Amino acid sequence: MRKIILAAIAVLAFGGGGAAQSFPSRPVTIIVPFSAGGPSDAMARILAERMKASLGEQVLVENVTGAGGSVGVGRAVRSPPDGYTISFGHLGTHVANGAVYKLGYDLVTDLEPVALLPSNPMIIVSKKAVPATSLKEFLAWLKAQPAAPIAGTAGAGSGSHIAGLYFENVSGIKLQYVPYRGTGPAMNDLVSGQIDMIVDQTSNSIGQVRAGNIRAYAITASKRVESASDIPTVDEAGLPGFHMTLWSGLWVPKGTPKDVIAKLNMATVEALNDPAVRKQLENLGLQMPPKDKLTPEALGAWQKAEIAKWWPMIKAANVKVD
Ligand code: MLT
C-alpha cells in the first residue's frame, strides 16, 4: 500500500511517473565508499534500515573502498541510472576528491543529488598515551615530537585528510598521513597507539572518547555538541576559527528519472524524520539538516557552494596522490 501511495505522490509531484510506479521492484544498494565500521558506514546503515519501510524493498549497503572514497563513487557513477544504485558521500568524496584526483567523472554533471544528510563537526583526538589534558598541551606535545606526528585518514581527499590539511594550516604543525580505507580502521590503530591522532568526524570518535580509549581536545565548531557537551570548541580551546562541518549526502547517476529521485528523496526524508533514527544519529553527535535543505535541488546548490569554498585551499596544499 505504502508503495502505491509513494508512487502516486511521486507522479503528482514530479510528473512522468512511468519509472516511479514500479520502483523499486527489487533491492536498492547504497554504495558507501569507505570501509565498514566508520562514520559513513554507520550513518548509511541506520538510514538504510528505515528506508526499507518507505520503499518496500531491501536497502543494502555495499562498501566499495579506495582512493579517498573515489573508487566507490566511480562505481556508483557508472551504474545504470535506474535508482537501484545510490552513492553515499560527503564533503570529502563529493567535493574534495575533485580537487585531488583526476577522477574520470565529474562530481556535479555525472551525478544527480537526492538529499542532504546529517552533519557533524570534526573532533581533534589523540592516542591515550599522549600526556596532554588540553588542546594547548596537545599542540605543545605535537611541536615537541622529533618527527612529524602521524595522523590517520581515510585516504587522500577524504574528510579526515582535508581536516588534517586545515589543521596544519591553522596550527603550523606539519603532519604525516597514514591512509586507511576508512576512519573505522584508522580508529582501531589510534586506540592501539599505532598512530598519534586523527582529525575525525565526531560521530566516529565519540564512542571511544566516552569509553576513555582515546583523548579528545576540541571540536571544530563555534558551539559545543549537545551529546558531547564536555568537549570544548576550538574557539574555547585555543585554535579559534578552525571550523569545519563534515556533511553527508546521497546521489544517483546522471539520467536517473526525476520521479525515481523523488521517491528516494521521500524515503530519505521519512527516515530523517523518524524519531528513533534521529535519536540514534543525534547520540553520535550528528545534527539533522535544516528542513528547508532537504530537496534534491538544495543538495545540488550546497555541493556547488562547497566546491567553490574548499577547492582553493585543497589545490593550494598541492596534495600528491600516487
Ligand atoms: C572520512 O574521513 O572521509 C570519513 O570519515 C571516512 C569514513 O567514513 O570512514
Side-chain angles (χ1 to χ4, degrees):
M1 187 56 184
R2 289 194 60 71
K3 286 169 75 168
I4 296 168
I5 294 170
L6 272 177
I9 296 170
V11 169
L12 290 173
F14 295 86
Q21 271 167 341
S22 60
F23 176 84
S25 56
R26 55 188 166 82
V28 173
T29 297
I30 298 176
I31 293 182
V32 169
F34 298 106
S35 45
S40 300
D41 184 67
M43 187 193 300
R45 290 180 191 278
I46 291 169
L47 293 171
E49 185 54 34
R50 177 57 182 76
M51 288 171 74
K52 277 186 336 191
S54 303
L55 294 172
E57 288 291 346
Q58 285 293 333
V59 179
L60 310 172
V61 171
E62 185 183 352
N63 302 88
V64 179
T65 64
S70 58
V71 172
V73 176
R75 172 82 67 79
V77 164
R78 288 186 290 275
S79 302
D82 55 14
Y84 287 99
T85 306
I86 300 173
S87 173
F88 181 104
H90 58 31
L91 168 61
T93 55
H94 286 68
V95 172
N97 280 0
V100 170
Y101 298 97
K102 286 188 177 36
L103 290 172
Y105 55 85
D106 185 292
L107 285 170
V108 174
T109 59
D110 287 334
L111 288 159
E112 304 260 11
V114 173
L116 183 63
L117 296 180
S119 64
N120 58 165
M122 305 305 275
I123 186 170
I124 304 169
V125 290
S126 80
K127 63 186 178 185
K128 199 169 174 187
V130 173
T133 55
S134 70
L135 180 59
K136 284 201 166 73
E137 287 177 13
F138 181 50
L139 295 177
W141 182 86
L142 289 171
K143 285 173 185 162
Q145 295 317 296
I150 299 173
T153 74
S158 64
S160 42
H161 178 231
I162 302 312
L165 294 176
Y166 194 176
F167 175 84
E168 287 186 284
N169 278 355
V170 295
S171 67
I173 297 169
K174 191 87 193 88
L175 300 175
Q176 55 179 319
Y177 296 105
V178 173
Y180 295 82
R181 290 185 173 273
T183 41
M187 181 53 67
N188 294 338
D189 274 5
L190 186 71
V191 169
S192 64
Q194 307 298 314
I195 56 177
D196 298 319
M197 66 180 286
I198 308 176
V199 187
D200 191 14
Q201 288 196 59
T202 300
S203 58
N204 191 51
S205 283
I206 199 74
Q208 295 293 355
V209 172
R210 287 176 180 149
N213 296 331
I214 58 175
R215 291 184 188 278
Y217 300 99
I219 55 155
T220 61
S222 54
K223 270 180 28 189
R224 296 193 179 201
V225 167
E226 230 167 272
S227 62
S229 56
D230 53 330
I231 301 170
T233 68
V234 283
D235 302 321
E236 295 168 314
L239 272 180
F242 177 31
H243 296 162
M244 176 175 169
T245 300
L246 198 298
W247 50 272
S248 294
L250 297 177
W251 287 261
V252 287
K254 178 182 64 181
T256 304
K258 289 284 176 240
D259 50 0
V260 169
I261 292 175
K263 216 165 175 183
L264 292 173
N265 176 275
M266 265 177 268
T268 308
V269 172
E270 280 195 4
L272 292 174
N273 288 334
D274 182 298
V277 169
R278 294 174 74 93
K279 191 165 180 314
Q280 277 184 281
L281 296 173
E282 285 165 350
N283 186 43
L284 291 172
L286 288 157
Q287 287 129 7
M288 297 303 121
K291 288 209 179 301
D292 65 346
K293 294 279 187 275
L294 288 173
T295 61
E297 297 71 22
L299 173 59
W302 180 249
Q303 181 187 15
K304 287 185 186 124
E306 289 282 277
I307 286 172
K309 172 182 172 185
W310 288 97
W311 275 24
M313 186 271 269
I314 298 165
K315 290 189 170 180
N318 207 8
V319 174
K320 288 281 171 280
V321 287
D322 36 31

